[in-house]
Amino acid sequence: AYTAWASAQNGRQSFAVHIGYGNMLEGTSGLSLSDDTYKNKLCQGVNWDAQYHVRAFKDMDFGLLYSGYSAKATHEEGADHVYTHYIAPQAGLYIVNNRSIHVRVNAGLGWMFYRNNGEVFAKSRKATTSNLAGNLGVNFNYKLTPNWGIGADVQYLIAKFGQMDVRYHGQTVDVRFPDGDSLSGNRLSLSAGITYFF
């Protein structure tokens, strides 16, 4: 009886890590240079994530998503290195669910942190902010063995920031964006990696 129970429980949990390409589709701001060509460089970078899921029902699970992003660029007067970190509980619904292939749609609501470690005229300039955010995604997994699989993940993260703290020359300034304007943290990520089922 115990063996049958253990077999039924196997694969109900999974942990996945992915790495790939991220694009901040609506651009970014709060940089040390406002040139559009320069901004575009900071809107394309490296994305990575880690996801944990527990199968609650046959075609539904619940879990936790962490997603990170990094992009950097330089110009004659300085540089910028933009990071975002997002963490959220999420729910998943399986649209394909068999022994070898799993395809799941995910949605979650969490918190995004934005940070720009910049430099202007050889002096450090740091900009930080955070806000409520959400995510929508599609996840694909192919099981190579009962415990290991390879997967791909598409995520769209949605976040808006109305203000940020900018620290430069030993002073911190609270920057407020005009009404109707904001710093966008929206990001599309395309990534691939491995999944462990247990």
Side-chain angles (χ1 to χ4, degrees):
Y2 175 79
T3 302
W5 178 85
S7 177
Q9 299 304 308
N10 185 40
R12 289 178 64 93
Q13 300 180 69
S14 66
F15 180 77
V17 290
H18 305 100
I19 189 167
Y21 168 77
N23 190 314
M24 299 182 75
L25 297 177
E26 294 186 11
T28 187
S29 56
L31 306 176
S32 61
L33 184 68
S34 59
D35 177 72
D36 286 342
T37 302
Y38 183 73
K39 285 182 179 180
N40 288 338
K41 295 180 181 178
L42 276 303
C43 291
Q44 300 183 62
V46 177
N47 174 86
W48 63 94
D49 71 60
Q51 300 186 44
Y52 169 73
H53 285 269
V54 178
R55 186 84 63 88
F57 306 101
K58 179 183 177 183
D59 292 320
M60 190 173 188
D61 66 16
F62 298 94
L64 191 66
L65 166 69
Y66 162 75
S67 179
Y69 171 83
S70 172
K72 57 185 177 181
T74 61
H75 56 90
E76 291 183 359
E77 288 83 24
D80 293 272
H81 192 168
V82 171
Y83 299 91
T84 65
H85 301 281
Y86 171 73
I87 187 165
Q90 65 175 1
L93 182 66
Y94 288 83
I95 55 177
V96 177
N97 183 16
N98 59 48
R99 182 171 295 189
S100 299
I101 297 174
H102 298 161
V103 180
R104 183 184 66 227
V105 292
N106 305 308
L109 187 66
W111 204 262
M112 182 179 285
F113 302 87
Y114 173 98
R115 184 180 185 90
N116 179 6
N117 291 339
E119 183 180 287
V120 179
F121 298 117
K123 294 186 181 296
S124 173
R125 176 186 181 274
K126 297 185 183 298
T128 58
T129 187
S130 65
N131 203 4
L132 188 70
N135 68 282
L136 297 170
V138 178
N139 181 268
F140 167 84
N141 271 296
Y142 178 76
K143 274 191 163 184
L144 300 171
T145 73
N147 293 107
W148 291 99
I150 55 174
D153 195 76
V154 179
Q155 290 283 346
Y156 186 60
L157 277 62
I158 305 159
K160 299 289 184 181
F161 307 106
Q163 62 82 223
M164 67 167 47
D165 294 327
V166 179
R167 183 169 181 80
Y168 181 62
H169 248 292
Q171 294 184 330
T172 300
V173 177
D174 182 12
V175 177
R176 301 277 173 172
F177 294 98
D179 290 341
D181 197 7
S182 61
L183 166 63
S184 174
N186 293 1
R187 185 177 86 243
L188 177 68
S189 66
L190 309 171
S191 56
I194 58 173
T195 304
Y196 179 67
F197 301 91
F198 56 103

